[in-house]
Amino acid sequence: MKHYDAIIIGTGQAGPSLAARFADAGMTVAIVERHKFGGTCVNTGCIPTKTLVASAYAAHVARRGEEYGFANGDVRVDMKRVKARKDAVSGRSNRGVEEWLRGLKNCTVLQGHARFQSSRTVVVNNEVLEADKIFINVGGRASVPAVPGIDEVPFLTNSSMMDIDFLPEHLIIVGGGYVGLEFAQIYRRFGSEVTIVEMGPHLIGREDEDVSECVREILENEGVRIRLNAKCISLAKRDSRIAVGIQCDEGPPEVLGTHVLLAVGRTPNTQDLGLDRAGVATDRRGYIIVDDQLQTNVPAIWPLGDCNRRGAFTHTSYNDYEIVAANLLDGDHRRVSDRIQTYALYTDPPLGRCGMTDAEVRKSGRAALATKYPMIRVSRAFEKAETQGFMKICVDAETKQILGAAILGTGGDEVVQILLDVMYAKAPYTVIQRAMHIHPTVAEYLPTVLSKLQPFA
Ligand SMILES: Cc1cc2nc3c(=O)[nH]c(=O)nc-3n(C[C@H](O)[C@H](O)[C@H](O)COP(=O)(O)OP(=O)(O)OC[C@H]3O[C@@H](n4cnc5c(N)ncnc54)[C@H](O)[C@@H]3O)c2cc1C
């Protein structure tokens, strides 16, 4: 039996960096990948989707040529070339991760499915490996709801969407969350008819209502059809089409399209990991239960990334790596609860979010001040002819620290990080008002936005 200082299962957004840290520290590491190096972000998530977002944005701007002063002709998207571009960008990262890992001294790269045999041993390709520490970075996959007809129709997920090199005539997207909305705008801009079927009363239901309403307007203005309060209850073939059966109070009980994308959430890849043999506890959805330093109930086993339910983003997975590496290698006792929630929705314009929503602030019962400023009054947005959206920020009335923000507008994914850094510094928002910012930018308006703080209603 081969012994290592550490075994890492999965090459998502935490595993490879952790492998490099351990290997650099002179420890022996085995890292195991059963499919594509780099995991979801690199192969079927962030990188390919944001590459598609860029193609869709280019097509959108080209169609608006007249507004910017050039003749635009008939803009048609060549899906084979769009896919080739996406594959090239994604492939570059995928190869980069593999080459990096294979080039690490002290690191053994194994390809195959890893399964626990005990709390200290893992089996890969019939070989038993043993380690003092085992890290699980197995990520997740698209959830597939058990609706009648699911086995009879050829549905798509974020993974199979990556193989598409043609334009679906009418794409029905089940799920109005972050993944669903990004694909909706991408494919609408490529030229498909798109219908979103969302069971809740709002898109991106975790956001404040004004945010989700504004995103809805943006998408509808581009021709995306949106069915809210519409629960997908069945799928069926109708000649060459697919029918999505809907339980709803308003509108037709069925949407007919040519393709169906399921974007109804994620399931952790933990069911085939032999966690029971290791004695590692999971919740009822299969997420591994961890404490504030990402330890499981079994000593020396740490799950990182999406599978521990402490975040479902590339940056949360990478931050998990940083926390574990700091605790184990640097004597720096970092905790998950020290991090501030932040993420972006990559529609155009994007939504950059940090901290609490208004609803969460309200629920907390604390005295707060809030401000909201339309992008139409931001000169940079005006110059770019991208004036949709707004910026809103909420601060604690006593400490003057920022509690949360939503920047829905051009550059929102970048601008929000200024607020995030001030939050980490635990500095009052007034710091931003004393700083000199670059003109013309969206960020230069933050002092103006903050000058309009009012008691939170
Ligand atoms: C469509 C889409 C778009 C997204 N866009 C963004 C975005 O813009 N920004 C953002 O921050 N996040 C985004 N995300 C989320 C992001 O991709 C994930 O949170 C991120 O990849 C972190 O995943 P991870 O590190 O947990 O593992 P993953 O990246 O999922 O990797 C897990 C790896 O483990 C391997 N594996 C699993 N089981 C085993 C086993 N038993 N043995 C060996 N190997 C195994 C898998 O093959 C995989 O390679 C997106 C997700 C999706 C689906």
Side-chain angles (χ1 to χ4, degrees), residues 12-13 33-34 39-41 46 50 113-114 137 139 306 312-314 317:
Q13 291 302 303
E33 175 53 57
R34 70 176 177 189
T40 308
C41 175
C46 334
K50 269 78 257 185
H113 180 93
N137 183 211
D306 290 12
F313 298 99
T314 281
S317 181

Side-chain angles (χ1 to χ4, degrees), residues 49-340:
T49 55
K50 269 78 257 185
T51 307
L52 295 174
V53 164
S55 290
Y57 176 76
H60 178 68
V61 173
R63 285 193 193 102
R64 295 177 63 202
E66 294 292 345
E67 283 178 61
Y68 294 96
F70 61 91
N72 52 1
D74 182 18
V75 178
R76 268 198 225 159
V77 175
D78 179 340
M79 288 301 292
K80 288 205 166 26
R81 286 170 63 189
V82 165
K83 179 176 178 293
R85 177 174 179 273
K86 184 269 296 172
D87 288 345
V89 175
S90 196
R92 184 174 167 269
S93 297
N94 162 262
R95 284 190 302 279
V97 173
E98 180 170 3
E99 283 163 18
W100 175 39
L101 288 172
R102 291 197 188 281
L104 288 175
K105 223 171 122 192
N106 305 323
C107 180
T108 304
V109 177
L110 297 162
Q111 282 186 274
H113 180 93
R115 196 175 272 111
F116 281 93
Q117 191 188 56
S118 71
S119 60
R120 284 172 59 105
T121 54
V122 166
V123 181
V124 185
N125 304 331
N126 298 322
E127 191 190 343
V128 183
L129 322 173
E130 186 190 44
D132 303 333
K133 297 181 176 61
I134 302 180
F135 302 91
I136 306 169
N137 183 211
V138 293
R141 61 188 184 280
S143 302
V144 176
V147 291
I150 191 83
D151 296 328
E152 281 120 58
V153 298
F155 62 82
L156 294 157
T157 65
N158 69 290
S159 298
S160 47
M161 283 299 283
M162 296 300 125
D163 301 327
I164 289 206
D165 64 354
F166 59 89
L167 194 65
E169 189 186 317
H170 183 175
L171 180 64
I172 305 173
I173 300 177
V174 181
Y178 307 88
V179 171
L181 298 196
E182 289 181 8
F183 276 116
Q185 191 179 48
I186 290 168
Y187 274 83
R188 182 66 197 139
R189 288 180 169 190
F190 286 164
S192 296
E193 269 185 66
V194 175
T195 304
I196 298 173
V197 173
E198 164 56 46
M199 68 176 181
H202 304 289
L203 297 175
I204 41 171
R206 262 178 281 161
E207 303 302 334
D208 286 323
E209 215 173 302
D210 55 351
V211 172
S212 66
E213 272 305 290
C214 189
V215 171
R216 183 180 63 75
E217 268 171 39
I218 289 165
L219 294 176
E220 282 185 339
N221 285 342
E222 292 189 24
V224 175
R225 276 180 242 139
I226 297 170
R227 296 285 308 269
L228 297 172
N229 295 306
K231 186 173 178 188
C232 165
I233 49 165
S234 65
L235 298 170
K237 270 195 183 156
R238 289 268 193 289
D239 302 323
S240 61
R241 308 218 140 213
I242 297 171
V244 176
I246 291 172
Q247 191 178 60
C248 55
D249 291 334
E250 275 175 37
E254 192 172 90
V255 182
L256 266 188
T258 53
H259 296 80
V260 174
L261 163 63
L262 298 177
V264 292
R266 309 279 299 165
T267 302
N269 291 327
T270 54
Q271 82 293 347
D272 51 2
L273 206 48
L275 287 175
D276 49 336
R277 295 199 184 164
V280 173
T282 60
D283 68 14
R284 64 186 174 79
R285 292 180 58 195
Y287 288 96
I288 302 171
I289 298 168
V290 289
D291 66 13
D292 210 13
Q293 293 191 323
L294 300 171
Q295 303 205 66
T296 61
N297 61 314
V298 177
I301 298 182
W302 291 261
L304 313 171
D306 290 12
C307 68
N308 66 24
R309 217 181 185 180
R310 294 300 183 99
F313 298 99
T314 281
H315 46 274
T316 47
S317 181
Y318 189 79
N319 190 246
D320 285 356
Y321 141 68
E322 291 178 318
I323 289 170
V324 166
N327 283 318
L328 295 179
L329 299 171
D330 305 332
D332 179 4
H333 299 298
R334 291 179 64 173
R335 297 173 306 178
V336 180
S337 54
D338 288 337
R339 69 188 180 203
I340 299 166

